[in-house]
Amino acid sequence: MFRYLKQPIILLLMAIVMPQLFLYAQTLNDKIDRLVYTELGDTTGPGAVFLVAHNGKVIYEKGFGKANIESGVAMNPQNVFQLGSITKQFTAIAIVILQEQGKLSVKDPVSKYIPDYPGGNKITIHQLLTHTSGIKDFTKMKSLGEIAQKNMTPKMMVDFFKNEPVDFIPGEKFEYNNSGYVLLGYLIELVSGETYENFIQKHLFEKAGMWDSRYATDRLIVLKRAYGYHKKEYGYVNKTQINFSVPFASGSLMSTAGDMLKWQNALNNHILINPKSTESVFSQYKLNNGDTFTYGYGWHLREMEGQPVREHGGSIFGFKTMGVYLPKKDIYVIGLSNCDCFSPTQLARDIALLTAESVQ
């Protein structure tokens, strides 16, 4: 007799539960919308894409503003953005992959691979990964403008800054540094025998199923590209052009919000590196004096209202980006902006906390 009751009971439960689920989603979506529109009220200018995921599944995804102002093309979640320094996550994981393959160790000194690097016997790969090497950040060098438009090989980039005086003794303090990640990109090429671009494409993008991600280009056709802008007193202008061989492994990748979720899920599911390596990526380390600092390998490791957070932002001409992950709640938020006049950093954090409250 009971088997005949199954379908009506299921239908009754669905009638009760489904409206509640819809109301939850609608309420959360409305709250996120209000947060974003407060910051991005101008729908005629450049904008952003925000994606929110819980337990690896998308629960919010929306584009705001224009992907191309000249053509009046509206932003949508499939648009491709330049990531800026979020690139460092990919560079760090590439190094860890090579360590798993036995081709290097993060304990190795730079001089093992570049014998003529000044002081390279005292600088480890680990220190490059954690911004504790003390080498000069090339973005702070006055002569940067002389090479910004030039096509630079990785060796040329390393030669550009390697003879600069160090800012501090390796391991003495944490100081965010783009040169360290350019140097890591060069090491990836030396050790793997592949170009950085090809290594990232083959060993990271393809394995994670990130089919809309690539090394950045302003010249080649990129379908669904979001065009980058600056804001001047008189209005928006197209972004300043640079040669992407300059930021290289510190900031030259492109991706979409959806692909960035694939990236996060690949890390969570150990598709790219094993659990032991993953733990090393998301560990806090100590300086020479024993003080702990809040950076792992390519991620800031912080707390936000009692929640542990893994996050990183990016900034490159015309674009600003931010990814926030709450591991205890398995909540991921990625914000991608196509104007360097708008940073999605605080908004992404606020959305993450709002979502965490909603999924308790």
Side-chain angles (χ1 to χ4, degrees):
M1 179 176 81
F2 293 103
R3 63 189 178 127
Y4 296 108
L5 295 175
K6 285 182 179 178
Q7 189 172 6
I9 290 172
I10 291 171
L11 290 172
L12 177 61
L13 288 171
M14 289 178 64
I16 295 171
V17 173
M18 289 304 290
Q20 292 177 332
L21 289 175
F22 176 75
L23 182 61
Y24 149 75
Q26 188 180 42
T27 302
L28 180 59
N29 283 359
D30 287 345
K31 288 179 179 177
I32 295 173
D33 278 350
R34 284 196 291 272
L35 279 177
V36 178
Y37 278 120
T38 299
E39 300 292 332
L40 288 171
D42 179 11
T43 58
T44 64
V49 166
F50 285 91
L51 178 150
V52 184
H54 182 226
N55 294 331
K57 303 293 183 182
V58 176
I59 59 173
Y60 180 93
E61 188 177 24
K62 191 174 289 188
F64 301 84
K66 301 297 182 186
N68 187 301
I69 298 175
E70 293 94 324
S71 302
V73 177
M75 191 75 76
N76 71 70
Q78 287 72 49
N79 284 128
V80 181
F81 292 76
Q82 291 175 28
L83 293 177
S85 285
I86 287 180
T87 295
K88 292 179 174 69
Q89 298 177 6
F90 297 88
T91 301
I93 296 300
I95 288 289
V96 174
I97 288 172
L98 290 170
Q99 178 170 253
E100 286 189 355
Q101 294 174 351
K103 295 180 178 178
L104 58 73
S105 168
V106 297
K107 296 179 181 179
D108 290 338
V110 170
S111 58
K112 181 175 179 178
Y113 307 97
I114 311 174
D116 66 343
Y117 195 93
N121 61 324
K122 298 177 182 178
I123 302 169
T124 65
I125 293 174
H126 167 82
Q127 289 166 338
L128 298 176
L129 288 164
T130 57
H131 302 287
T132 57
S133 68
I135 64 176
K136 179 67 67 177
D137 188 339
F138 74 90
T139 63
K140 298 176 181 178
M141 294 171 59
K142 293 181 179 179
S143 53
L144 177 60
E146 298 172 9
I147 65 165
Q149 305 290 336
K150 293 183 179 179
N151 188 29
M152 304 285 285
T153 65
K155 183 180 184 306
M156 289 167 66
M157 275 305 303
V158 172
D159 288 345
F160 177 68
F161 59 74
K162 74 177 186 181
N163 292 312
E164 292 292 314
V166 297
D167 290 330
F168 53 86
I169 297 169
E172 185 176 67
K173 64 179 180 177
F174 167 86
E175 190 168 294
Y176 192 82
N177 189 301
N178 290 285
S179 293
Y181 273 76
V182 166
L183 191 47
L184 288 170
Y186 185 38
L187 291 176
I188 289 167
E189 295 200 349
L190 292 174
V191 172
S192 71
E194 303 177 54
T195 65
Y196 173 82
E197 178 179 352
N198 288 346
F199 190 93
I200 297 296
Q201 187 71 40
K202 177 181 176 182
H203 298 278
L204 281 75
F205 290 162
E206 291 182 10
K207 286 190 176 180
M210 299 171 67
W211 305 114
D212 294 316
S213 301
R214 58 165 299 137
Y215 195 87
T217 175
D218 281 333
R219 185 168 179 80
L220 299 178
I221 300 297
V222 176
L223 298 179
K224 300 179 182 177
R225 178 200 295 273
Y227 288 78
Y229 298 95
H230 305 298
K231 189 175 184 180
K232 304 290 186 180
E233 291 181 3
Y234 51 84
Y236 297 107
V237 297
N238 288 302
K239 74 178 184 70
T240 301
Q241 300 287 316
I242 61 167
N243 194 301
F244 292 106
S245 63
V246 175
F248 184 45
S250 73
S252 286
L253 296 181
M254 302 178 78
S255 192
T256 64
D259 269 10
M260 288 304 296
L261 175 58
K262 291 178 181 179
W263 169 244
Q264 183 61 49
N265 289 342
L267 292 167
N268 286 350
N269 296 321
H270 306 296
I271 291 171
L272 303 171
I273 57 175
N274 64 43
K276 183 178 179 181
S277 293
T278 301
E279 184 179 353
S280 72
V281 169
F282 298 116
S283 291
Q284 292 183 358
Y285 294 97
K286 295 181 185 294
L287 299 171
N288 296 342
N289 64 3
D291 288 348
T292 301
F293 58 96
T294 57
Y295 199 94
Y297 291 173
W299 276 264
H300 293 280
L301 306 172
R302 296 170 172 147
E303 280 202 1
M304 191 166 60
E305 295 190 9
Q307 288 272 356
V309 178
R310 303 169 184 170
E311 65 175 29
H312 212 288
S315 181
I316 194 166
F317 290 144
F319 296 88
K320 288 198 173 182
T321 58
M322 185 64 176
V324 177
Y325 182 62
L326 308 183
K328 284 190 175 180
K329 294 280 190 176
D330 195 5
I331 292 169
Y332 181 65
V333 179
I334 183 73
L336 306 170
S337 165
N338 68 329
C339 182
D340 52 23
C341 60
F342 168 69
S343 171
T345 295
Q346 190 57 49
L347 197 48
R349 290 171 178 162
D350 292 343
I351 291 170
L353 289 174
L354 176 65
T355 306
E357 292 171 0
S358 301
V359 300
Q360 285 179 348

